Amino acid sequence: MSSKTSAIPAGYSDIPAGHIASVVTCLEMRQKPDITPRALPEGFTLERYTGGSLDQYRALFRKVGADWLWFSRLLMSDEKLTSVLSKTSLEIYVIRHEGNDVGLMELDFGVPDEAELVYLGLVSGTTGQGIGRAVMNAAIELAWSKPIGRFWVHTCSFDHPSALSFYCRSGFVPYARQVEVKPDPRLSGALPLTAAPQVPIIRP
């Protein structure tokens, strides 16, 4: 992600009604940190996604990300989403617990010498058990098993409150900050109106 963006004025800026705005922090690591692989708690597995219907993928994406207003994949047409999910550079992993999908992790190696941690999330009720740390350590191992010189991720102010500090503790270093303004996906029906109650809906 480029850090060259149009500057916004200092002070307050109005956000159009019907839209949401978040502060995005971009982070990177330029070398593999010294980490110890960590096993997932008993009953949890990290499995490579081998495909399925688009509705199944969207359901998982919504299940994991609705609380944090993940919506980008939900707005894609069938053709666009099929194209994204079939990219040879994309590695998708599903966290499962006793046969149930409880998390998602995606890595993209589409840019030479780089890997992007596109998504990492767990459903509510699974945090605080060391699952996130185990999956992050696995992601770091997977990313640096390829010939890369940079591993990067971005998080925003809609994500879990501990997400930014978690990435920093994992070895990522912030290098840029941006503001993203988008139509509220709850008003279009991409997400239910009850999603992310911590973010108020401002109707037009």
Side-chain angles (χ1 to χ4, degrees):
M1 176 178 291
S2 173
S3 60
K4 295 180 181 179
T5 57
S6 299
I8 58 175
Y12 292 99
S13 297
D14 289 336
I15 305 301
H19 289 64
I20 52 175
S22 64
V23 177
V24 179
T25 301
C26 306
L27 307 98
E28 65 182 0
M29 60 172 67
R30 293 285 181 170
Q31 60 183 21
K32 181 184 176 184
D34 184 15
I35 60 171
T36 301
R38 183 177 297 190
L40 285 162
E42 185 175 355
F44 289 87
T45 58
L46 179 66
E47 303 175 22
R48 184 76 180 264
Y49 177 76
T50 55
S53 73
L54 296 181
D55 285 345
Q56 288 175 323
Y57 177 85
R58 288 184 177 117
L60 174 59
F61 188 89
R62 187 179 290 108
K63 181 180 179 182
V64 174
D67 286 345
W68 319 114
L69 290 182
W70 289 12
F71 59 87
S72 60
R73 297 275 171 86
L74 302 178
L75 301 180
M76 292 179 179
S77 66
D78 287 355
E79 293 75 17
K80 175 63 174 177
L81 184 56
T82 297
S83 175
V84 169
L85 298 183
S86 62
K87 290 194 305 182
T88 57
S89 64
L90 186 66
E91 296 185 5
I92 304 174
Y93 296 84
V94 180
I95 301 101
R96 293 194 168 98
H97 179 241
E98 298 179 350
N100 297 312
D101 296 344
V102 298
L104 182 68
M105 188 268 282
E106 298 187 14
L107 298 168
D108 195 340
F109 297 90
V111 176
D113 197 43
E114 292 188 2
E116 178 188 1
L117 179 59
V118 187
Y119 292 108
L120 194 162
L122 298 165
V123 300
S124 60
T126 58
T127 57
Q129 303 179 53
I131 302 167
R133 172 52 56 203
V135 174
M136 173 59 81
N137 285 10
I140 292 171
E141 292 286 351
L142 288 165
W144 289 98
S145 69
K146 304 289 178 66
I148 65 168
R150 178 177 181 257
F151 187 27
W152 72 277
V153 64
H154 70 263
T155 185
C156 77
S157 51
F158 291 150
D159 284 338
H160 191 284
S162 65
L164 181 56
S165 61
F166 174 74
Y167 289 132
C168 290
R169 292 195 307 273
S170 300
F172 290 96
V173 177
Y175 69 90
R177 186 172 289 122
Q178 301 171 328
V179 173
E180 181 180 30
V181 179
K182 293 284 187 179
D184 194 324
R186 296 167 295 185
L187 294 177
S188 67
L191 288 173
L193 292 173
T194 54
Q198 74 277 11
V199 182
I201 296 174
I202 308 296
R203 294 180 180 276

